[in-house]
Amino acid sequence: MNISVLGCGRWGSFLAWYNARIGHQVINYGRENGTSYQQLKLKGKNKWVTLDKRITLSSDLKYALESSDIIIISINSQELRGFFSEIVKHDIKDKVFVLCMKGIEVLTGKRLSEVAIESGIAQDKVAVWLGPGHIQEFIKGKPNAMVIDSYSEDLTKRLIDVFKSNLIRFYVGSDIIGTEIGAAAKNIMGIIAGGLDGMGLASMKGALMSRGAREVARLIKAMGGNELSAYGLCHLGDYETTLFSEHSHNRKFGEALIKGEKFNHLAEGVATAHATLALAKAAGVDVPLTNAISDILYGANPKDIMDRMFSREIKTEFE
């Protein structure tokens, strides 16, 4: 099968590599002037993967869109709406779009599948592929489990059949609201975990995992999803790779933030924290952890925020 992957950064290039590995012919699209594209064009590889004969690198968006029936997108989540404004200019009738990124649009509070649909993609042609896993582990042959979700169970199962392998075990998602919110919010928890590392409080990550999942479960429920999704692969199941891993950009950003150091890589949790806080306020949901990291991102003293958290009103654990 022909698969097009739009985006050739860290995760996009892995998705191209993975789909070629399982036998598909792959087009990996990137912007001609993009650093990631130029590296692949000049060297045929990047820090993580090497292009093989089943991967065609291209900067021609029309060609990438028209050559495949399944289109995977892996870019900065906040750039998705603008990218779709380019995509819908082409012949995309009957194309299926699989979103492989985690975030909530800051300007609108929309989930990424909602952005796709508002941009003109049919609801029954939109899916998300989310869950734990780092490129550095996958390319060494270390397996993991992920989830595919959509607005159509038939589409979800069809995509799982296309993408399944002995490297990734897929589960059938049945709550796209919870799946997307949970996946986006885990990056917030990653930043908080890095902050705990930076403060020498790594032992509190257990509490963060428990209370973080409860916080996200409340938000998912308020947004119309199944709160149990917070305890699935999209959120709690992704904590190890986000809260503890040396490869996690969000964790490393949080640690650098507390230490006053620079961090030059994308940390999606920053934008997601601001978007999630706005969603929670509108829904009347208490999100103390998200509120705390948002305050720190705006310059509040971490010690003062920690004192505030510990002086909150005593509550039952599962109210």
Side-chain angles (χ1 to χ4, degrees):
M1 178 175 287
N2 293 332
I3 306 287
S4 288
V5 179
L6 310 184
C8 57
R10 183 171 68 158
W11 193 244
S13 62
F14 162 74
L15 291 168
W17 174 88
Y18 172 78
N19 277 283
R21 178 186 183 274
I22 62 176
H24 300 307
Q25 294 293 323
V26 181
I27 297 169
N28 194 187
Y29 164 84
R31 298 188 188 278
E32 178 69 37
N33 60 352
T35 301
S36 297
Y37 177 84
Q38 284 297 320
Q39 183 178 27
L40 289 171
K41 181 180 180 180
L42 294 174
K43 298 182 179 180
K45 63 180 182 179
N46 57 24
K47 183 178 179 181
W48 306 282
V49 300
T50 299
L51 302 182
D52 68 23
K53 61 183 180 181
R54 289 172 297 191
I55 301 175
T56 300
L57 185 67
S58 176
S59 60
D60 185 337
L61 182 58
K62 181 177 185 292
Y63 167 69
L65 289 168
E66 295 184 358
S67 298
S68 303
D69 292 325
I70 297 177
I71 313 296
I72 294 172
I73 302 182
S74 177
I75 63 171
N76 182 334
S77 64
Q78 300 306 315
E79 298 174 0
L80 184 61
R81 190 179 294 272
F83 192 33
F84 265 123
S85 70
E86 299 178 41
I87 289 172
V88 297
K89 296 175 182 177
H90 301 277
D91 181 9
I92 55 171
K93 183 181 179 181
D94 298 326
K95 307 292 183 181
V96 171
F97 288 86
V98 184
L99 308 180
C100 295
M101 61 267 227
K102 303 163 183 177
I104 296 172
E105 191 175 46
V106 171
L107 293 178
T108 65
K110 299 290 187 179
R111 292 177 286 109
L112 301 186
S113 70
E114 292 179 303
V115 172
I117 294 165
E118 289 183 357
S119 299
I121 309 303
Q123 179 174 287
D124 62 353
K125 300 295 183 182
V126 177
V128 297
W129 169 351
L130 301 166
H134 281 297
I135 298 168
Q136 295 89 337
E137 303 296 324
F138 279 135
I139 62 175
K140 295 176 183 178
K142 297 180 180 180
N144 215 321
M146 304 187 79
V147 62
I148 291 179
D149 209 336
S150 74
Y151 295 88
S152 162
E153 185 177 349
D154 288 342
L155 175 61
T156 299
K157 290 181 176 179
R158 179 159 65 90
L159 290 171
I160 288 175
D161 191 55
V162 170
F163 296 132
K164 66 184 180 183
S165 75
N166 61 357
L167 189 59
I168 300 179
R169 173 176 171 78
F170 288 101
Y171 284 83
V172 178
S174 58
D175 173 33
I176 194 166
I177 294 174
T179 296
E180 288 192 272
I181 292 175
K186 69 95 185 181
N187 285 332
I188 302 171
M189 303 307 158
I191 293 176
I192 298 171
L196 292 175
D197 287 334
M199 297 172 71
L201 298 173
S203 61
M204 285 189 63
K205 287 184 182 180
L208 172 62
M209 292 170 67
S210 176
R211 301 314 303 163
R214 282 300 301 144
E215 177 167 310
V216 173
R218 291 194 299 270
L219 180 60
I220 289 173
K221 183 178 180 179
M223 299 306 296
N226 183 347
E227 64 180 311
L228 290 178
S229 293
Y231 307 102
L233 288 167
C234 67
H235 189 73
L236 184 60
D238 207 351
Y239 271 12
E240 190 283 329
T241 57
T242 307
L243 273 62
F244 297 91
S245 174
E246 62 180 311
H247 305 308
S248 170
H249 280 181
N250 287 283
R251 190 204 64 76
K252 291 167 74 174
F253 170 83
E255 184 172 5
L257 176 68
I258 295 301
K259 293 181 176 179
E261 300 172 352
K262 289 185 177 180
F263 185 74
N264 297 319
H265 298 286
L266 175 67
E268 288 272 20
V270 175
T272 302
H274 300 319
T276 300
L277 187 58
L279 280 179
K281 286 182 177 179
V285 178
D286 186 26
V287 286
L289 289 167
T290 302
N291 190 66
I293 196 61
S294 179
D295 286 347
I296 292 173
L297 288 168
Y298 279 116
N301 185 297
K303 177 64 167 57
D304 292 342
I305 298 300
M306 182 66 74
D307 289 343
R308 185 184 78 190
M309 294 291 288
F310 270 77
S311 63
R312 294 177 74 238
E313 177 188 359
I314 301 299
K315 299 181 178 181
T316 57
E317 185 176 12
F318 296 111
E319 66 179 86

